[in-house]
């Protein structure tokens, strides 16, 4: 899959976490970015300070040769970002991890899980050492997340860490802790999954440096604590859906590295299903519109 991002959408926030997000985009000058879409609040909501316009000026300086345009929205900013995400290849959101005032009402993870395209959440600096690209391994593996992680590792000449975080199940069907469960059995299952994914990617990308890493603990906290030196953390749709998104929220809130989220809607099969559903709805409406005329003719 071609992960060349020609059109990037950037959230403009009056609290200004977008400064780091713009730096993250600027570091990718020369990778094929042709257009930057800046999404901001309506002037009436911003007061006297045209935040989106200021960000656009900074972007034109940082991204010479890239077309920069501004789109303004009234109403909830999070909803505007989700709506506008479909107009580009990538959505980038700046975020404060430990205080209020972040883009999208303080909850960029909520936008990332609903967006139509991959979304990168860039926390405020300082950023960690520019280390490995980290792919959170899930079952089944998310091929688009793999593609993004591999492209990033190859482009930046970084090692790709395959991180599998797991924890012992706590509840059984009866709702009680099952003391008969064997921790070694669960660890073995996850180790086998990690080894399987490592073998597949080693065969597929023989020149790519890979490091498998198995970690026991709450997945969200474990991923965040083991990516403090990562250059990018990539989460596929399985991690976005896990526990109603709590894992995603934990990672975005706690990690010091930029996080690339590949939500369900960013996958070709999800888009095809959406088109099929829309076609079905149109077809049903079409059949429904013919029924009155048929009855009137009898």
């Amino acid at each position: 899959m071609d992960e060349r991002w020609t059109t990037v959408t950037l959230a403009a926030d009056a609290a200004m976490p977008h400064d780091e997000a713009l730096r993250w985009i600027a570091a990718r000058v020369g990778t094929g970015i042709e257009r930057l879409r800046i999404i901001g609040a309506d002037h009436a909501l911003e007061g006297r300070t045209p935040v989106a316009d200021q960000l656009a000026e900074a972007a034109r300086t940082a991204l010479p040769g890239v077309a920069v345009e501004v789109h303004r929205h009234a109403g909830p900013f999070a909803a505007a970002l989700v709506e506008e995400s479909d107009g580009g290849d990538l959505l980038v959101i700046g975020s404060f991890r430990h205080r209020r005032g972040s883009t999208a009402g303080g909850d960029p993870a909520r936008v990332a899980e609903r967006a139509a395209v991959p979304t990168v959440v860039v926390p405020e600096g300082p950023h960690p050492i520019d280390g490995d690209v980290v792919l959170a391994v899930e079952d089944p593996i998310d091929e688009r997340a793999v593609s993004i992680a591999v492209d990033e590792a190859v482009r930046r000449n970084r090692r790709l860490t395959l991180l599998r975080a797991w924890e012992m199940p706590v509840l059984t069907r009866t709702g009680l802790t099952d003391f008969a469960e064997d921790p070694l059995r669960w660890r073995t299952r996850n180790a086998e999954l990690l080894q399987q994914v490592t073998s597949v990617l080693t065969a597929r990308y023989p020149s790519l440096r890979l490091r498998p890493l198995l970690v026991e603990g709450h997945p969200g906290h474990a991923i965040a604590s083991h990516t403090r030196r990562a250059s990018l953390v990539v989460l596929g749709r399985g991690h976005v859906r896990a526990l109603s998104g709590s894992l995603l929220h934990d990672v975005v809130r706690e990690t010091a590295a930029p996080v690339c989220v590949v939500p369900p809607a960013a996958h070709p099969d999800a888009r095809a299903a959406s088109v099929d559903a829309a076609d079905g709805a149109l077809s049903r409406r079409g059949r429904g519109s013919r029924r009155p005329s048929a009855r009137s003719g009898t």
Side-chain angles (χ1 to χ4, degrees):
M1 182 180 294
D2 182 10
E3 291 300 339
R4 183 170 174 265
W5 297 322
T6 59
T7 300
V8 176
T9 303
L10 173 61
D13 185 352
M16 314 252 321
H18 53 236
D19 289 344
E20 288 291 339
L22 178 59
R23 291 189 187 98
W24 188 88
I25 296 171
R28 280 151 179 79
V29 169
T31 62
I33 299 176
E34 299 174 357
R35 185 164 64 117
L36 180 67
R37 304 169 68 250
I38 294 177
I39 311 303
D42 185 82
H43 272 311
L45 302 177
E46 289 184 312
R48 296 183 178 180
T49 306
V51 175
D53 291 341
Q54 291 180 358
L55 181 57
E57 287 301 314
R60 292 185 180 101
T61 301
L63 301 165
V66 174
V68 178
E69 56 192 52
V70 175
H71 300 257
R72 294 185 178 86
H73 283 261
F77 195 40
L81 292 176
V82 172
E83 177 186 342
E84 288 283 355
S85 66
D86 200 25
D89 306 309
L90 181 74
L91 173 64
V92 182
I93 303 173
S95 173
F96 295 130
R97 291 174 296 146
H98 302 300
R99 60 190 176 94
R100 295 184 178 274
S102 299
T103 290
D107 193 1
R110 183 163 53 95
V111 176
E113 66 187 351
R114 297 163 53 206
V117 295
T119 301
V120 175
V121 179
V122 183
E124 82 281 13
H127 286 168
I129 296 171
D130 200 5
D132 290 6
V133 175
V134 177
L135 172 65
V137 174
E138 54 194 328
D139 186 22
I141 195 70
D142 184 331
E143 289 293 346
R144 185 155 196 200
V146 169
S147 178
I148 291 173
V150 169
D151 282 0
E152 182 76 0
V154 170
R155 186 184 70 80
R156 306 193 67 173
N157 191 27
R158 294 290 183 267
R159 183 176 61 180
L160 177 61
T161 289
L162 304 175
L163 172 60
R164 175 63 178 177
W166 68 281
E167 64 181 344
M168 277 286 295
V170 176
L171 298 180
T172 66
R173 293 178 182 176
T174 63
L176 301 175
T177 302
D178 187 350
F179 293 101
E181 289 287 3
D182 181 3
L184 181 59
R185 180 163 63 93
W186 286 98
R187 187 184 191 285
T188 300
R189 285 185 182 181
N190 284 275
E192 289 173 348
L193 170 63
L194 180 58
Q195 181 56 51
Q196 178 184 1
V197 172
T198 303
S199 298
V200 168
L201 296 188
T202 298
R204 192 185 299 178
Y205 309 103
S207 63
L208 185 64
R209 293 176 294 157
L210 297 174
R211 179 179 72 127
L213 178 61
L214 184 65
V215 178
E216 180 181 2
H218 181 279
H221 302 315
I223 291 171
S225 64
H226 284 81
T227 55
R228 301 193 187 282
R229 297 186 177 184
S231 58
L232 183 69
V233 181
V234 183
L235 301 178
R237 61 178 160 187
H239 284 104
V240 175
R241 289 171 171 166
L243 302 177
S244 301
S246 63
L247 184 152
L248 169 62
H249 287 247
D250 289 341
V251 174
V252 169
R253 183 176 59 250
E254 296 177 19
T255 188
V259 179
C260 180
V261 180
V262 189
H267 295 76
D269 55 349
R271 290 173 180 262
S274 177
V275 170
D276 289 344
D279 289 344
L282 288 173
S283 177
R284 289 191 295 274
R285 283 199 293 269
R287 289 196 300 270
S289 64
R290 289 193 293 270
R291 286 173 186 165
S293 62
R295 286 195 297 269
S296 62
T298 58

